[in-house]
Amino acid sequence: MNIIVLFGPPGSGKGTQAKILAEKYNLEHISTGDLFRYNIKNNTKLGQEAQTYINHGKLVPDELTTEMLIDELKRNSNKKGFILDGYPRTKSQAEALDELLDSIFQTQVDVTLALYVEDEILVKRILKRSEESGRSDDADESIIRNRIKEYYEKTAVVSNYYKEQHKLVELDGEGSIEDITAELSKEIEKFV
Ligand code: AMP
């Protein structure tokens, strides 16, 4: 089983690349953001609990997020592997992921591929995306900046966690979609 983590700030292209790569390598794409949006749309208890955080550009508490991820991993336990997009986003999520991959699948993260993009480009990209995504957290610049702030305050440290394990590969996320897919593919092919 392969476990590939796509890492980076909001708007760095994780979602776009995860979709392409999941199809290319026959892996299951798990986006915690998409799972939350699905729950909000269907007005589930989880959706109601997560909504306020998401609307303010804050991270949803670790426990809620990790419970949701565990359910999704178990539901897909017959799959060849996973591309995780948007999880882990805190050090404690990264630790939880290690434990649950070990206990559910007796496996571990193969590699964390980090995409870096300059902040002002992130803001522009997300505002542009809002024209199609319909996401309220994409349409408001102050919420976007909050999401970027959350990334630096809580998420950026996750890269150190994987760096210490020699599992971090850092890539420039500012090129064309095709070029970045090619760079990411080179790294994934070391494992699949
Ligand atoms: P995304 O679609 O990845 O940009 O996520 C949208 C929003 O969902 C984020 O701004 C957070 O509020 C929430 N979210 C998604 N993944 C996580 C996570 N791993 N931990 C906490 N909150 C998350």
Side-chain angles (χ1 to χ4, degrees):
M1 177 175 264
N2 289 115
I3 311 289
I4 312 288
V5 174
L6 279 195
F7 181 81
S12 57
K14 301 186 296 294
T16 304
Q17 293 295 338
K19 270 193 210 88
I20 298 170
L21 296 165
E23 184 153 346
K24 185 168 175 188
Y25 296 106
N26 190 24
L27 301 167
E28 184 70 17
H29 171 203
I30 297 188
S31 153
T32 42
D34 284 350
L35 289 171
F36 281 129
R37 284 185 286 279
Y38 175 86
N39 277 278
I40 291 169
K41 196 167 146 219
N42 290 285
N43 199 26
T44 66
K45 183 162 169 283
L46 173 66
Q48 289 167 8
E49 286 168 335
Q51 190 160 29
T52 320
Y53 298 99
I54 294 176
N55 287 348
H56 290 92
K58 306 279 286 178
L59 292 186
V60 177
D62 288 336
E63 210 177 309
L64 276 184
T65 310
T66 300
E67 286 298 315
M68 177 178 77
L69 179 79
I70 292 172
D71 287 348
E72 194 63 13
L73 289 173
K74 286 189 175 162
R75 228 166 52 78
N76 287 286
S77 57
N78 58 336
K79 299 286 160 63
K80 184 173 149 272
F82 298 95
I83 295 198
L84 299 182
D85 153 19
Y87 190 102
R89 259 176 155 109
T90 62
K91 185 163 181 241
S92 107
Q93 290 183 14
E95 289 165 349
L97 180 63
D98 278 348
E99 280 171 30
L100 65 95
L101 287 176
D102 185 42
S103 67
I104 305 174
F105 302 120
Q106 294 76 54
T107 192
Q108 51 176 327
V109 170
D110 290 313
V111 66
T112 294
L113 303 170
L115 295 172
Y116 293 111
V117 173
E118 204 255 314
D119 291 356
E120 294 313 307
I121 297 179
L122 295 173
V123 175
K124 281 203 194 97
R125 278 192 187 179
I126 296 174
L127 283 171
K128 177 97 185 60
R129 178 173 76 186
S130 75
E131 292 165 15
E132 281 150 35
S133 72
R135 284 173 53 174
S136 57
D137 63 341
D138 278 355
D140 179 320
E141 188 167 332
S142 69
I143 298 175
I144 296 171
R145 292 196 185 273
N146 245 345
R147 289 162 61 197
I148 295 173
K149 189 161 160 268
E150 285 279 270
Y151 169 80
Y152 286 112
E153 287 180 4
K154 299 178 182 163
T155 306
V157 292
V158 172
S159 65
N160 296 333
Y161 182 83
Y162 290 112
K163 201 177 225 168
E164 282 163 12
Q165 297 181 22
H166 309 288
K167 287 185 176 176
L168 185 73
V169 177
E170 300 177 279
L171 299 159
D172 180 357
E174 290 184 17
S176 73
I177 292 178
E178 293 74 16
D179 286 350
I180 294 166
T181 304
E183 291 300 313
L184 292 167
S185 297
K186 267 192 233 159
E187 299 302 325
I188 292 176
E189 282 169 19
K190 295 178 184 168
F191 299 94
V192 297

